[in-house]
Amino acid sequence: MLEVLEAFAVISVVVGVGAIVGRTGMLGDNARTVLNRVAFHIGVPALLLLNLSQATLPQIFSLSLLVSALAATLAMGLGLLVFTAVRRRERGEAVIAAWTASYVNAGNLGIPLSAYVFGSTTEISALILFQSAVMAPIGIAILNSANTPRPSPARQVLALVKNPIIAASVLGLALAAAGLNIEGPIADPLELLADLAIPTVLLAFGISLTAGIGDAPPTNRLDLTIAVLVKTVLMPATAFALARWGFGASPEQQLLVTVLAALPSAQNINAYAAVYRRNESLARDATLISTALSVPIIVAIVGVLR
């Protein structure tokens, strides 16, 4: 179980540095906003472009991805239904809440955890592909449509095309399908920019814990409870049930997809919430609590299923 704790410890240290930065104010009042924009417009797109361009079609269309994608889609769909129809939240707020219940921390936690626990990052890379190519565009389209006044359909499509996350994902998918690798003088600067993604998101998240998030209202506790329970309990249970009884997966595959589904809410959601000014408090709190809860949950999953 040491490898699981090691992965969480690395993240905790960087978030802790961000908290110190926020408490001392050494980077100024707009540090969190600037870091989130750097991640959203530069770091994350570069990271996705590199990761997706290096994937192959057999890696993408695997049983583990199918189960993980179904579990994430069901969790996101349930979140959207509950937060719009039951909790009566505005569409932009609802999609952020639904993301916290379904969009896993596949990058800065999933990759090291997969490497330590399973000795491979192929499956988690495929999940990153699904989240960036499917879940992110759907959520961003809903966020764009929730703007007032609502943009025309043509403007909504243009906004999706111009979105750096989606543009990088589409380009990465095209390169992967064509079998073209980014190498040499093109890859080197992209790798430097991609290295910005994880630390900027984690630092901004740490700053938000101590410096606050501006005029955003406090988190609704019931909304927070629903999002965290769906993410940490219902989604991994769904993945396990699908793998075992739905597809007859091997024990190793059952363990893999259950651990991936039990990963906490992605810190990237905080960047989306900050850029679109929607449900920032919920994104911050759900990320923090799901990360804390995922430690014992993933340790228990590995102990029982392995």
Side-chain angles (χ1 to χ4, degrees):
M1 307 307 171
L2 185 61
E3 61 272 13
V4 178
L5 300 177
E6 182 178 349
F8 282 103
V10 171
I11 290 177
S12 299
V13 170
V14 182
V15 172
V17 172
I20 294 173
V21 170
R23 176 65 66 182
T24 59
M26 66 177 64
L27 296 183
D29 296 335
N30 296 322
R32 175 179 172 272
T33 300
V34 172
L35 288 172
N36 274 319
R37 289 178 178 174
V38 169
F40 184 85
H41 293 284
I42 301 175
V44 174
L47 179 64
L48 290 175
L49 177 57
L50 286 174
N51 284 340
L52 297 180
S53 66
Q54 295 168 357
T56 63
L57 294 183
Q59 291 173 339
I60 295 171
F61 298 105
S62 63
L63 177 59
S64 63
L65 175 61
L66 176 60
V67 175
S68 298
L70 285 174
T73 301
L74 290 172
M76 184 174 180
L78 177 62
L80 286 171
L81 177 64
V82 169
F83 288 111
T84 54
V86 180
R87 298 297 293 156
R88 303 292 183 183
R89 301 305 180 204
E90 177 265 337
R91 288 196 310 278
E93 294 183 352
V95 74
I96 295 295
W99 262 342
T100 63
S102 59
Y103 205 117
V104 304
N105 191 336
N108 53 315
L109 180 57
I111 288 177
L113 191 64
S114 295
Y116 292 138
V117 178
F118 303 108
S120 170
T121 60
T122 300
E123 293 79 6
I124 195 66
S125 297
L127 182 55
I128 292 174
L129 168 63
F130 172 75
Q131 291 189 154
S132 59
V134 178
M135 295 179 67
I138 290 174
I140 291 171
I142 297 174
L143 286 167
N144 289 332
S145 69
N147 290 336
T148 302
R150 183 183 303 179
S152 65
R155 287 186 177 273
Q156 292 184 43
V157 172
L158 181 61
L160 285 175
V161 173
K162 293 170 60 177
N163 184 282
I165 301 291
I166 297 175
S169 299
V170 171
L171 180 56
L173 277 174
L175 292 173
L180 300 175
N181 294 324
I182 301 177
E183 299 175 345
I186 299 178
D188 292 342
L190 279 175
E191 289 174 355
L192 285 176
L193 295 175
D195 289 340
L196 290 170
I198 293 174
T200 51
V201 168
L202 293 177
L203 287 172
F205 177 61
I207 291 173
S208 71
L209 297 178
T210 56
I213 48 179
D215 298 328
T219 304
N220 182 282
R221 292 187 178 182
L222 182 55
D223 288 355
L224 177 62
T225 301
I226 293 171
V228 171
L229 285 178
V230 172
K231 179 69 220 59
T232 59
V233 179
L234 185 58
M235 186 170 165
T238 300
F240 174 76
L242 288 171
R244 181 168 184 177
W245 294 294
F247 296 95
S250 66
E252 292 78 10
Q253 290 173 319
Q254 294 173 27
L255 172 62
L256 173 65
V257 298
T258 306
V259 168
L260 295 185
L263 289 168
S265 305
Q267 272 92 6
N268 289 354
I269 301 170
N270 290 276
Y272 296 143
V275 170
Y276 285 93
R277 306 293 295 179
R278 293 287 198 284
N279 238 345
E280 296 178 75
S281 298
L282 176 64
R284 177 197 61 190
D285 295 343
T287 303
L288 175 64
I289 295 175
S290 65
T291 300
L293 291 177
S294 66
V295 178
I297 289 174
I298 291 178
V299 169
I301 290 171
V302 173
V304 171
L305 296 185
R306 176 173 282 182

